[in-house]
Amino acid sequence: MEDRVDAIVAELALDDKIRLLSGRDIWHLEAIPDAGISPIMMTDGPHGIRKQELGEDRVGMVEAVPSTCFPPAVTLASSWDEALLTEIGAALGEEAGSLGIGVVLGPGMNLKRHPNGGRNFEYLSEDALLSGKLAAALVRGIQSTGVGACVKHFAANNQETRRLVVDAVVDERTLRELYLTGFEIAVTEGKPWTVMAAYNRLNGTYCTEDPALLTTLLRDEWGFDGLVMTDWGATSDRVAGIEAGLDLEMPGGGSAFDAEVKAAVDRGELQEASIDRAVRRVVSLQLRAVHTEPADGFDADRHHALAARAAAAGTVLLSNDGVLPLDTSSSVAVVGAFATEPRYQGAGSSRVNPTRLETALDAFNARFSKVLYTGAYDPEDGTITPAGLRDAALAAADADVAIVFAGLPDRYESEGFDRDHLRLPDAHSQLIDVVTAVNDRTVVVLSNGAPVEMPWVERPAAIVEAYLGGQAGGSAIVNVLIGDEEPGGRLAETFPIRQSDVAADANFPGEGKQVQYREGLFVGYRYFDTAGVGVRFPFGHGLSYTTFDLLSPTVARSGDGYDVTVTVQNTGDRFGAQVVQIYVRDVESTVYRPDKELRGFAKVRLAPGETATPRVHLDRRAFAFFDPPSGDW
Ligand code: BGC
């Protein structure tokens, strides 16, 4: 392949090379007709394929071609299931390939520094290891189909406020141990074809122009051999970008920067060799991406079923006094408009046009004979009228069980802005109060892309965090409520009691054009556990319908680290999944360290009485901290 790339590049005139360094339009790369290379198309991503066939709009006003809407990253991450994410990745790749797409613009994997981040639904976790492992699993799945993945947004793109210009000021140790580690794992283990450089600045330099980030770290240290593209419109100084290791500018369409690049070469400020380096990577990508034309369709039924399985696997049972699982002979009051107009994916560039869309109410009607529904609130703005509250109370009072569908309407969280509080809409809290006042057997089902405050936490008999369930979330949630499916999820993020408890809160989203990460390493559970600050639900939490014992852990030296084994036994009378989480604590350290840090995990599925003994390897890095003076672990 390298010879072929060299031969193609050798034939290109300088102007052609410069032309290739930006896209043909919003989604395509340029063609190279003389080499017989047709333009490849890239699309969002990350939880479904958003292929737009016309128009310049890219935020959803031009309807995309239908594709399976899998649950977004927040839900997938709660499954803690690498095999499942690889399967989803492969399904995404199949759909992309069948639509003639060369590269899927995902996974998104920025660390969840603060739960108010508007785009947190599109990211995986507050923990770097979990983010990195799950992103790598998605990348492997996508690329197993001959479609490229794009790990984004590199790096420290942890907020939406002033996202195009904000300068994230992060100390080196924090950057390495938290914000870069996830990308490092995704790159070294997933080997993505492409990486997307973020809009923001990092310690003063735009990510799209930072040689330390794009070359020294990404390529020299981590061995990345693919292409780096800009986020859409993230170019500031194109010449500096090329020098820094930024290959492709997107979107394209008559790049305003071509003349600047040419002039810089003419003036001798930019070596043609630097251009060749970037062109070579563009050509390599074009050759790697085999899908350029739509082909056979994909198996929409199979992918829908996979989306349903993933939604259940990512559903987290937060609390349960025994009301769940439900008996299908009970009469149920289904309360809340999300049961018929589901909140099932996030807003912004990731929004896909689903092949079909289930509702929870239809699934209830299919499984229960006594269902009473009332919408209660407006699903768009989350408001409720006195009549809506009264109807909800009437419906709930008469039923064996009341299921309240609550959460965040679209307008509460989206790409493009951060949340300014962690509360549910007032109407949803009122609804929970009113329904729990008349029915002791009330289950609250939450649909949201990130944590919410729950001052009402003690009132319902059970709380189920369904997150954003994708297009099959309707049947998935009912299957979980009746126990046909296990609520397989464990939180990949902490639910604080209140927003002000979050260590980053005083410095989120920053002031002026700068955000200082003054909390350092104290993100998520690393802070709450170290400082002894109580949380609503901790990282890793999730109940089951069965019970498990964790028995006889062993630690044995192995290679450059240790192998940990734990025997997990299902001691209940139902099938269930458990996640073994291995944390490391430094009992005596010369530097400050968080109280504990996740260093490995394994998901096991067990029938009643069954045992399994997963083995998790902890390498040298699992015990390391980054030492800025020596620039090493
Ligand atoms: C988003 C990217 C997305 C791109 C193309 C940008 O605004 O940040 O995640 O891939 O648009 O839609």
Side-chain angles (χ1 to χ4, degrees):
M1 169 124 127
E2 279 191 15
D3 290 348
R4 178 139 185 244
V5 172
D6 286 343
I8 291 171
V9 175
E11 292 299 313
L12 294 169
L14 179 60
D15 284 347
D16 285 327
K17 292 179 191 169
I18 293 174
R19 186 177 55 83
L20 289 179
L21 295 187
S22 58
R24 185 186 77 184
D25 55 31
I26 186 159
W27 300 121
H28 290 88
L29 271 64
E30 288 278 8
I32 315 174
D34 290 347
I37 293 179
S38 42
I40 65 166
M41 184 174 189
M42 312 195 283
T43 64
D44 294 303
H47 63 274
I49 306 305
R50 190 170 66 95
K51 182 185 183 189
Q52 294 179 317
E53 295 206 292
L54 49 131
E56 288 296 303
D57 166 72
R58 65 190 168 87
V59 285
M61 284 163 67
V62 173
E63 195 81 300
V65 176
S67 68
T68 308
C69 178
F70 292 98
V74 61
T75 320
L76 295 182
S78 309
S79 74
W80 293 59
D81 189 339
E82 291 168 271
L84 175 69
L85 270 73
T86 299
E87 218 180 319
I88 303 259
L92 288 167
E94 263 174 55
E95 295 197 16
S98 81
L99 293 169
I101 306 296
V103 175
V104 174
L105 301 174
M109 55 167 309
N110 294 94
L111 206 76
K112 301 185 191 196
R113 172 176 176 240
H114 193 297
N116 281 22
R119 222 174 164 178
N120 280 12
F121 67 87
E122 223 183 302
Y123 300 142
L124 293 158
S125 177
E126 68 185 26
D127 181 82
L129 176 91
L130 188 57
S131 296
K133 292 280 182 188
L134 296 179
L138 279 164
V139 169
R140 283 193 296 268
I142 295 170
Q143 296 188 169
S144 70
T145 63
V147 170
C150 178
V151 167
K152 68 187 187 183
H153 310 85
F154 190 54
N157 183 192
N158 307 104
Q159 66 185 55
E160 294 302 286
T161 307
R162 295 180 293 274
R163 69 168 173 157
L164 303 182
V165 293
V166 74
D167 182 15
V169 179
V170 196
D171 73 87
E172 196 182 355
R173 182 172 166 210
T174 302
L175 197 54
R176 285 289 194 142
E177 292 186 23
L178 296 192
Y179 298 99
L180 295 175
T181 287
F183 284 102
E184 179 181 359
I185 296 170
V187 165
T188 55
E189 297 183 13
K191 307 209 181 313
W193 293 3
T194 73
V195 165
M196 186 187 289
Y199 287 121
N200 52 288
R201 295 176 199 248
L202 176 54
N203 292 328
T205 307
Y206 277 114
C207 293
T208 52
E209 296 166 12
D210 189 349
L213 196 63
L214 302 183
T215 296
T216 316
L217 191 69
L218 182 62
R219 295 184 187 277
D220 301 345
E221 196 176 316
W222 298 348
F224 177 68
D225 66 356
L227 168 141
V228 179
M229 68 183 86
T230 61
D231 197 343
W232 267 228
T235 304
S236 171
D237 182 334
R238 184 68 183 110
V239 175
I242 292 173
E243 286 288 23
L246 190 292
D247 307 309
L248 176 69
E249 180 205 346
M250 289 302 291
S255 171
F257 296 106
D258 285 5
E260 280 179 26
V261 173
K262 179 83 191 307
V265 176
D266 290 346
R267 286 197 302 267
E269 289 164 15
L270 179 65
Q271 300 303 310
E272 193 164 342
S274 302
I275 294 187
D276 285 354
R277 190 181 56 197
V279 172
R280 211 171 275 122
R281 293 179 191 142
V282 172
V283 173
S284 300
L285 180 66
Q286 303 260 40
L287 294 180
R288 254 175 157 177
V290 290
H291 302 279
T292 51
E293 294 299 328
D296 298 343
F298 53 88
D299 188 342
D301 290 339
R302 189 168 61 81
H303 289 184
H304 185 78
L306 174 59
R309 182 148 58 83
T315 297
V316 185
L317 182 58
L318 293 176
S319 67
N320 182 20
D321 73 356
V323 67
L324 295 178
L326 300 175
D327 179 344
T328 51
S329 65
S330 324
S331 61
V332 283
V334 175
V335 180
F338 284 169
T340 55
E341 292 182 56
R343 177 82 208 295
Y344 65 102
Q345 64 174 328
S349 63
S350 68
R351 186 180 282 277
V352 303
N353 180 15
T355 58
R356 69 186 86 153
L357 182 59
E358 291 180 353
T359 72
L361 184 61
D362 285 345
F364 271 111
N365 282 324
R367 305 305 292 268
F368 290 77
S369 52
K370 289 169 277 183
V371 180
L372 192 61
Y373 167 71
T374 174
Y377 54 80
D378 180 324
E380 305 270 313
D381 65 12
T383 58
I384 199 162
T385 61
L389 281 172
R390 199 182 52 234
D391 290 349
L394 283 174
D398 281 345
D400 295 336
V401 202
I403 315 289
V404 178
F405 281 81
L408 298 176
D410 255 351
R411 62 177 63 176
Y412 276 67
E413 55 182 346
S414 171
E415 176 178 345
F417 61 85
D418 294 311
R419 291 159 73 195
D420 49 21
H421 61 76
L422 289 183
R423 297 187 303 278
L424 286 178
D426 290 345
H428 290 221
S429 302
Q430 280 168 21
L431 189 62
I432 292 166
D433 285 348
V434 164
V435 172
T436 51
V438 298
N439 194 323
D440 289 341
R441 290 164 49 84
T442 297
V443 177
V444 172
V445 174
L446 293 169
S447 303
N448 45 302
V452 292
E453 291 173 354
M454 299 182 207
W456 41 263
V457 69
E458 301 296 343
R459 298 178 64 102
I463 305 173
V464 182
E465 178 52 87
Y467 280 121
L468 304 174
Q471 68 178 45
S475 63
I477 188 62
V478 173
N479 284 340
V480 167
L481 293 174
I482 65 179
D484 274 12
E485 290 269 8
E486 154 88 358
R490 302 292 182 268
L491 295 178
E493 60 191 355
T494 307
F495 276 49
I497 294 174
R498 56 190 85 74
Q499 178 187 328
S500 54
D501 291 344
V502 176
D505 199 48
N507 294 290
F508 182 94
E511 286 160 13
K513 287 188 186 164
Q514 201 181 62
V515 52
Q516 301 190 8
Y517 287 30
R518 288 181 175 242
E519 71 286 355
L521 295 172
F522 295 121
V523 173
Y525 71 87
R526 284 173 167 77
Y527 168 69
F528 293 107
D529 288 351
T530 310
V533 173
V535 300
R536 187 60 80 202
F537 294 107
F539 177 83
H541 171 74
L543 304 176
S544 173
Y545 291 152
T546 185
T547 48
F548 297 98
D549 271 353
L550 300 184
L551 307 162
S552 43
T554 67
V555 181
R557 243 214 117 98
S558 159
D560 65 343
Y562 294 86
D563 277 349
V564 181
T565 67
V566 186
T567 297
V568 188
Q569 181 169 23
N570 181 347
T571 52
D573 54 9
R574 283 172 167 272
F575 172 88
Q578 177 64 300
V579 179
V580 173
Q581 305 166 26
I582 312 283
Y583 295 84
V584 165
R585 160 185 295 135
D586 197 344
V587 287
E588 190 187 332
S589 178
T590 48
V591 297
Y592 78 88
R593 301 189 76 167
D595 183 57
K596 66 179 200 277
E597 300 188 83
L598 182 76
R599 293 303 192 221
F601 61 94
K603 184 148 194 181
V604 290
R605 289 189 175 67
L606 297 171
E610 204 184 348
T611 60
T613 307
R615 177 183 304 270
V616 178
H617 181 69
L618 303 185
D619 59 14
R620 179 176 175 273
R621 181 71 177 270
F623 304 93
F625 60 87
F626 190 79
D627 181 50
S630 52
D632 203 357
W633 294 94

